[in-house]
Amino acid sequence: MIVEISSILFMAVLAVTFVSCAAYVVFFISQNVKVREIARIILVVSGVLQTLYILVRYFQAGYSPITTHHETAFFFAWATTWAYLSFRWRYTVKNFGTFVSLLIFVLLIISAFSSKEVLPLKPILQSGWLPIHAGVSILAYGFFSLAFCGGLMYLLQERELKSKKFGYFFSRLPSLDALDQLNSHCLTTGFIFLTLGIVTGIVWAKVAVGHYWRWDPKETWSVITWFVYLIQLHQRFTVGWRGKRAAVMAIVGFVAVLFTFWGVNFFIGGEHSYGK
Amino acid sequence: MGSEKLILLGVNHKTTPVEVRETMALSSGYEEPLLQLGKIAGIKEYYLLSTCNRVELLVVGTPNAELVDSIIEFLFGTGRSKEECRQYFYLYEDQDAVDHLFRVAASLDSMIVGEAQILGQLKEAYRHAAALGTTGPLLNRLLHKAFSAAKRVRSETEIGSSAVSISYAAVQLAKKIFGQLNDKTVLLVGAGEMAELAAEHLVGQGVQSVVVVNRTLSRAVDLAQRFNGSAASLEELSCQLENVDIIISSTGAPGIVIHKEDVKPLMRSRKNKPLFFIDIAVPRDLDPALNEIENVFLYDIDDLSTVVEMNKTARDKEAVKAGRIVEEDTIKFMRWYESLALTPTIAAIRRKTDEICRQELDKTLGKLEGISEKDRQALEKMIGAISSKMLHDPLSYIKQQACGHRDDTDRRLDTIRNVFGLKDE
């Protein structure tokens, strides 16, 4: 029974997100504000359905559903959705929704293609720390993915302005300043969550196995990602890394995030491997 | 209403040089010229529009050479020969007049197509005419339709959103770079007229402060005062560049004034805040290589023209849409206008009553059984008599000859059409 509900919910999330995404694309092309309102409402519905799916999955599995590949990809999409919906930039950054909804849909597709099997939780992960540590970390990734979308948009718009060939994107993309502010906001918020994620991980490791830090590949890469963002923030606030450089760095940072998130599991393995 | 027509006669910025228009602009307000117009024989309804770019007169009356001559005399005064006047003004009748009025109201005939001022001016002109009672049912309706056509154009097209000019293009680009302009500073290098205009636009968009740099400091001081800004000498240029955001350069210098090498080291102390250079000087003042620096955007006059062209194509598309709306509304108005004629109105009233009689008769005859042919004819006759007696008074009311000095057939026709619920359009 619960398995069926969960799979119906999952299909619903996919369908609703697809519709919202399509509506955002229509808005991007037509610039009809009514369409944007509809797209946004559908995205909120998708966000609610995603939350329900996570709850159902929690009862289905009996633990916080942030361990298998399917679950983490889904949680990533959920974090991006709510990070987007909960902040005010969506009003000032024109057409941001189109880019973000596409990313959310891609993440959901990734989770759809991974095994939905519920695996028994490894004993080492059976702890109240799991949802806190994993949740906070993935929330950070949600903000970094917003910064990634903003970075892409910045590069597109900057190219239009520098080349002086005003193509399709010029009127449809927001001002460079708005995108640069978005970058700064998302990186700061994301960085705080990432730091919290790493700190909770350290505490959990101490409690569970008695060591703060064991240079597990995931841990190593988390620290590398953390430094990538730390350098960006530091440079922004001291010497003024902004504009194109900040946009490129947001994309580089997101690649580091993706590698930490999935690459490590595929290529290296370790304690954090999802459901292997 | 006979051979009466809607006549529109006027001059605008396209047909008439400014020297001539200057002598016509009605500086004394509307009241006096409106009263003066009322003295011209053969005019039933009229109204007058006067702006800095046009003077137009819309009249309901019987067109003849005399009427046109007296209007020309009213417009141009007696100082010019009729032949000279004739080359300046345009004259439209009926449908063309309606179409022209709607185009004016929708700002399709303005110097800057899409500017919003004209509708307000039109409304004011109408208010004056209505207050003096010079407009009647025809012009009242026509002008209200003009207002609603203008509103439709404004809400259904984007003709108002991209006025076309170099300054507008500069503002548009600045907004794409900086988002908000209200905490930004503009630096004018050289005090040319174009630079002044662009700066004016930017200040109008919220730019906070203006700095003027010029070879002769006194000119810089004068211009700076206009914008409540500050002046600086040419030697201070590079240290000014550290603090400003938008630079408009328009010096008459033969060579490059600001080089890439001057700006590059500044970016560090600016913390990479973006710089927007606008070069409107010919020959150019600014090193084209400036555009290669990160967070620096350089536009010269040709680049800005590209933006202006881009706006134009977008605007032209909107103008086509707007033209279609105006045409639609013109056709609707003309249908109503033509229906005002006497004969079609009488025919329409007859048709309507006949239809009602026929329907009711059929209904009743269907219910009556065993009725003889003779009785049926008597019934039909009775109903025909009732309806023509009922119609007698309304019809003679609209057919009656003008009483007193003014022919108000239009008003009576309009009333009757309303009373009988005849469709306008």
Side-chain angles (χ1 to χ4, degrees):
Chain A
M1 179 62 187
I2 200 157
V3 179
E4 280 152 23
I5 294 176
S6 122
S7 76
I8 289 169
L9 259 177
F10 187 76
M11 291 317 287
V13 166
L14 268 188
V16 169
T17 314
F18 175 75
V19 173
S20 163
C21 207
Y24 268 120
V25 171
V26 169
F27 166 63
F28 192 80
I29 295 165
S30 72
Q31 295 294 297
N32 182 336
V33 184
K34 263 186 219 152
V35 180
R36 186 187 60 194
E37 282 310 301
I38 295 168
R40 203 178 74 79
I41 291 166
I42 302 173
L43 192 63
V44 172
V45 173
S46 160
V48 171
L49 287 175
Q50 288 175 38
T51 314
L52 281 177
Y53 177 73
I54 290 172
L55 287 175
V56 169
R57 180 96 185 169
Y58 175 82
F59 289 113
Q60 187 189 350
Y63 56 83
S64 314
I66 334 180
T67 54
T68 71
H69 189 256
H70 167 72
E71 289 162 356
T72 46
F74 192 90
F75 203 83
F76 197 166
W78 178 86
T80 309
T81 309
W82 285 105
Y84 171 68
L85 288 174
S86 60
F87 279 85
R88 63 186 167 85
W89 321 299
R90 61 166 196 264
Y91 298 114
T92 52
V93 184
K94 204 178 169 189
N95 281 317
F96 191 38
T98 311
F99 287 78
V100 176
S101 69
L102 276 169
L103 180 68
I104 294 169
F105 188 62
V106 168
L107 289 171
L108 286 173
I109 289 287
I110 291 172
S111 91
F113 278 104
S114 351
S115 160
K116 294 190 195 59
E117 205 183 334
V118 175
L119 296 168
L121 203 56
K122 287 182 195 173
I124 194 169
L125 294 180
Q126 288 171 3
S127 155
W129 284 98
L130 172 65
I132 299 171
H133 165 66
V136 167
S137 308
I138 295 176
L139 217 55
Y141 295 170
F143 282 97
F144 292 144
S145 61
L146 293 188
F148 165 74
C149 289
L152 279 184
M153 289 166 81
Y154 187 96
L155 293 184
L156 281 173
Q157 183 69 305
E158 203 238 19
R159 214 186 54 168
E160 302 265 302
L161 277 165
K162 279 268 186 187
S163 71
K164 299 159 191 175
K165 288 189 189 70
F166 305 102
Y168 193 69
F169 290 110
F170 178 68
S171 62
R172 288 181 168 76
L173 290 179
S175 67
L176 293 181
D177 182 69
L179 289 169
D180 196 52
Q181 280 184 28
L182 173 85
N183 176 291
S184 148
H185 280 291
C186 287
L187 288 193
T188 320
T189 318
F191 187 74
I192 292 167
F193 279 119
L194 186 65
T195 311
L196 277 174
I198 290 175
V199 169
T200 52
I202 291 170
V203 176
W204 183 12
K206 176 71 183 168
V207 173
V209 291
H211 298 280
Y212 289 109
W213 197 265
R214 292 175 305 147
W215 295 108
D216 166 273
K218 191 90 165 186
E219 289 170 2
T220 314
W221 275 95
S222 295
V223 166
I224 291 171
T225 308
W226 188 76
F227 268 108
V228 169
Y229 284 110
L230 177 70
I231 290 165
Q232 282 180 57
L233 284 173
H234 176 263
Q235 294 297 89
R236 174 182 277 278
F237 292 120
T238 52
V239 297
W241 268 24
R242 59 165 86 216
K244 188 176 181 181
R245 205 172 301 176
V248 171
M249 286 307 287
I251 294 169
V252 170
F254 190 66
V255 172
V257 163
L258 288 184
F259 189 77
T260 312
F261 198 51
W262 284 319
V264 172
N265 304 320
F266 280 122
F267 299 119
I268 307 171
E271 198 67 74
H272 285 79
S273 302
Y274 311 126
K276 274 198 185 151
Chain B
M1 56 201 283
S3 56
E4 260 165 27
K5 278 187 160 103
L6 273 170
I7 306 160
L8 190 143
L9 202 147
V11 299
N12 66 14
H13 54 96
K14 289 179 204 154
T15 61
T16 316
V18 64
E19 303 84 58
V20 180
R21 290 206 314 273
E22 270 168 1
T23 60
M24 304 175 50
L26 309 154
S27 50
S28 53
Y30 277 107
E31 200 162 313
E32 202 180 310
L34 279 171
L35 290 173
Q36 209 181 319
L37 265 172
K39 290 178 195 148
I40 299 176
I43 298 185
K44 256 172 65 184
E45 296 182 30
Y46 59 94
Y47 115 107
L48 177 70
L49 170 71
S50 165
T51 74
C52 50
N53 286 327
R54 71 180 67 242
V55 177
E56 276 181 10
L57 186 64
L58 190 56
V59 168
V60 179
T62 318
N64 54 39
E66 223 173 291
L67 179 71
V68 173
D69 280 351
S70 31
I71 292 175
I72 291 170
E73 201 187 306
F74 163 77
L75 279 179
F76 295 92
T78 46
R80 284 170 211 278
S81 72
K82 291 223 167 70
E83 286 62 45
E84 197 199 339
C85 298
R86 258 174 217 287
Q87 64 188 18
Y88 296 135
F89 70 83
Y90 41 85
L91 189 143
Y92 298 113
E93 286 181 2
D94 284 352
Q95 179 149 2
D96 295 334
V98 175
D99 188 69
H100 181 82
L101 176 72
F102 285 7
R103 291 181 64 83
V104 169
S107 190
L108 296 177
D109 199 50
S110 306
M111 185 130 83
I112 300 167
V113 170
E115 55 100 7
Q117 233 181 350
I118 184 71
L119 186 58
Q121 292 166 333
L122 202 71
K123 283 185 174 163
E124 202 201 325
Y126 172 63
R127 229 185 349 263
H128 284 286
L132 287 174
T134 71
T135 58
L138 197 59
L139 284 193
N140 284 339
R141 189 178 174 100
L142 178 58
L143 283 158
H144 281 117
K145 289 290 166 189
F147 303 152
S148 72
K151 266 186 216 135
R152 266 191 78 194
V153 167
R154 200 144 285 276
S155 63
E156 291 174 30
T157 74
E158 285 176 18
I159 200 134
S161 64
S162 52
V164 178
S165 68
I166 294 276
S167 312
Y168 181 82
V171 169
Q172 199 182 5
L173 286 167
K175 279 190 171 166
K176 278 291 179 197
I177 295 169
F178 298 109
Q180 299 284 320
L181 297 182
N182 41 28
D183 54 346
K184 300 292 179 281
T185 305
V186 178
L187 171 67
L188 298 181
V189 184
E193 203 176 309
M194 280 275 272
E196 195 178 333
L197 202 68
E200 208 169 85
H201 256 80
L202 286 163
V203 169
Q205 291 294 321
V207 163
Q208 276 293 302
S209 47
V210 177
V211 182
V212 184
V213 166
N214 199 38
R215 209 152 36 111
T216 48
L217 194 60
S218 65
R219 174 87 183 96
V221 172
D222 287 348
L223 190 56
Q225 255 169 2
R226 263 206 61 199
F227 296 111
N228 275 331
S230 56
S233 70
L234 207 52
E235 287 72 39
E236 297 171 82
L237 183 59
S238 66
C239 88
Q240 287 293 341
L241 283 177
E242 247 177 75
N243 307 312
V244 301
D245 304 285
I246 302 166
I247 297 98
I248 304 174
S249 187
S250 64
T251 71
I256 301 288
V257 177
I258 302 175
H259 291 269
K260 183 183 175 188
E261 293 71 39
D262 303 330
V263 176
K264 201 148 192 224
L266 291 174
M267 290 313 282
R268 212 184 152 80
S269 56
R270 284 181 60 83
K271 290 202 166 182
N272 283 311
K273 272 191 302 181
L275 266 175
F276 179 26
F277 284 96
I278 303 166
D279 189 352
I280 47 183
V282 181
R284 287 186 288 187
D285 281 345
L286 305 177
D287 184 358
L290 279 169
N291 200 40
E292 291 159 16
I293 307 174
E294 223 177 275
N295 294 316
V296 171
F297 300 89
L298 166 71
Y299 279 76
D300 64 27
I301 191 90
D302 287 347
D303 301 329
L304 289 173
S305 307
T306 330
V307 183
V308 171
E309 274 310 308
M310 188 180 70
N311 289 343
K312 244 186 200 151
T313 27
R315 198 208 58 196
D316 284 349
K317 264 191 232 152
E318 295 303 310
V320 171
K321 237 200 271 178
R324 195 253 306 145
I325 292 173
V326 164
E327 246 172 76
E328 251 178 60
D329 284 10
T330 306
I331 291 170
K332 279 188 201 162
F333 180 81
M334 287 313 289
R335 282 211 193 124
W336 174 82
Y337 179 52
E338 278 153 14
S339 77
L340 271 190
L342 202 55
T343 337
T345 304
I346 294 171
I349 293 172
R350 287 246 160 84
R351 206 167 35 245
K352 187 162 183 177
T353 47
D354 282 354
E355 236 166 65
I356 295 169
C357 291
R358 174 69 29 215
Q359 266 175 22
E360 294 304 314
L361 198 63
D362 287 351
K363 243 200 263 171
T364 317
L365 288 176
K367 279 181 213 152
L368 294 173
E369 283 171 25
I371 190 168
S372 74
E373 183 64 14
K374 209 174 142 201
D375 291 345
R376 203 178 60 85
Q377 277 174 1
L379 261 177
E380 273 177 17
K381 217 172 167 183
M382 179 195 81
I383 285 175
I386 293 177
S387 76
S388 54
K389 283 201 172 146
M390 293 282 285
L391 285 182
H392 179 262
D393 286 337
L395 289 185
S396 54
Y397 167 71
I398 49 175
K399 278 192 236 166
Q400 71 184 237
Q401 288 304 306
C403 52
H405 65 289
R406 236 168 119 167
D407 177 12
D408 59 349
T409 315
D410 295 348
R411 191 182 52 75
R412 280 182 275 121
L413 275 171
D414 197 35
T415 314
I416 285 294
R417 295 188 70 89
N418 281 330
V419 168
F420 279 88
L422 299 177
K423 281 203 185 74
D424 296 335
E425 29 196 39

